[in-house]
Amino acid sequence: MRIRSIKPEFWRSQDISRLIIEDRLLFIGLWSYVDDNGVGEDRVPMIAADLFADDIQRDPSETFARVSRGLARLFEGGQIVRFSNDGRDYFEILEWKKHQRIDKPGKSRLPHHDAEGSTIARFSRDIRENLAPGTGNREQGSGNEGAGDQGGASAAPSAPSHFCKRHPNGTDAPCRGCKVAWIEYEKWASDGGPVQHEHNWFLDGTCLGCDERREDTT
């Protein structure tokens, strides 16, 4: 995290005023998260942990979901560009020099969106405007509407955990199993429904993300 400044004209910018207030806060927070060249790793758990640690402690699912939706809106609104390079996801703050003046910027270790090998993400990659954990698709109702009616909407599927079975209450140091759990949550949030769990086995035959055990372990 780095010390940044906020220019007075930021608050009167029409591009910024089009954002909801929550996204303006996230955008400012990203300035401290990125390097001196305006580039950062596009990893929701890391961003949330740096900017909203106490919120994660109170409600990790909601915090991750709000950060994820906020990043999607910033991307769609042209404040950031999301891209991949060499199998890793990054984002870059557009018009970085307009927002920040860095006297002695550190040497860039992360690729830029226009670097060789970079692939710009599609807008649909992480847009989840219609979804929130445990609520299902808002266009289809909350899942409680029509309760008692045979033709009513069925209950919305609950959100999968963001953490593995070894860290059910969360952790400040997510393990490989937590990463698997987060990937499955992202699939759930994108599709609006349950996902097929893919086992990731330890050598002892236990799965990273569930309680099943492989029978052929010797």
Side-chain angles (χ1 to χ4, degrees), residues 168-199:
N169 297 319
T171 174
D172 292 332
C175 65
R176 197 163 56 137
C178 293
K179 181 178 180 180
V180 172
W182 173 251
I183 291 173
E184 293 187 352
Y185 169 79
E186 285 198 317
K187 291 180 181 177
W188 174 88
S190 297
D191 299 337
V195 299
Q196 181 66 38
H197 173 66
E198 297 180 2
H199 295 296

Side-chain angles (χ1 to χ4, degrees), residues 42-44 65 67-73 75 82 89 121-129 182 186-187 189-190:
D42 195 349
R43 297 173 60 186
V44 170
V67 170
S68 181
R69 292 194 297 265
L71 290 170
R73 289 190 291 264
F75 180 30
R82 310 180 86 172
D89 293 329
R122 294 180 298 175
F123 284 133
S124 61
R125 187 181 80 175
D126 275 316
I127 295 177
R128 305 184 183 98
E129 284 283 8
W182 173 251
E186 285 198 317
K187 291 180 181 177
S190 297

Side-chain angles (χ1 to χ4, degrees), residues 2 34-41 83 85-86 88-91 105-113 115 118:
R2 300 160 180 85
V34 299
D35 65 13
D36 288 344
N37 300 281
V39 182
E41 291 192 63
F83 64 99
N85 188 297
D86 196 24
R88 300 179 70 90
D89 293 329
Y90 303 94
F91 71 90
K107 185 178 180 181
S108 180
R109 298 181 179 179
L110 303 178
H112 288 263
H113 73 279
S118 293

Side-chain angles (χ1 to χ4, degrees), residues 12-26:
R12 294 184 179 273
S13 167
Q14 291 187 349
D15 290 337
I16 298 302
S17 65
R18 293 189 185 99
L19 301 172
I20 63 174
I21 293 177
E22 179 175 305
D23 290 350
R24 299 175 207 175
L25 176 62
L26 174 61

Side-chain angles (χ1 to χ4, degrees), residues 81-122:
V81 58
R82 310 180 86 172
F83 64 99
S84 299
N85 188 297
D86 196 24
R88 300 179 70 90
D89 293 329
Y90 303 94
F91 71 90
E92 183 172 350
I93 294 177
L94 297 175
E95 298 186 319
W96 173 242
K97 293 182 179 180
K98 173 183 175 181
H99 297 293
Q100 297 295 313
R101 179 178 179 180
I102 311 298
D103 292 332
K104 296 180 180 179
K107 185 178 180 181
S108 180
R109 298 181 179 179
L110 303 178
H112 288 263
H113 73 279
D114 55 357
E116 182 178 356
S118 293
T119 302
I120 306 299
R122 294 180 298 175

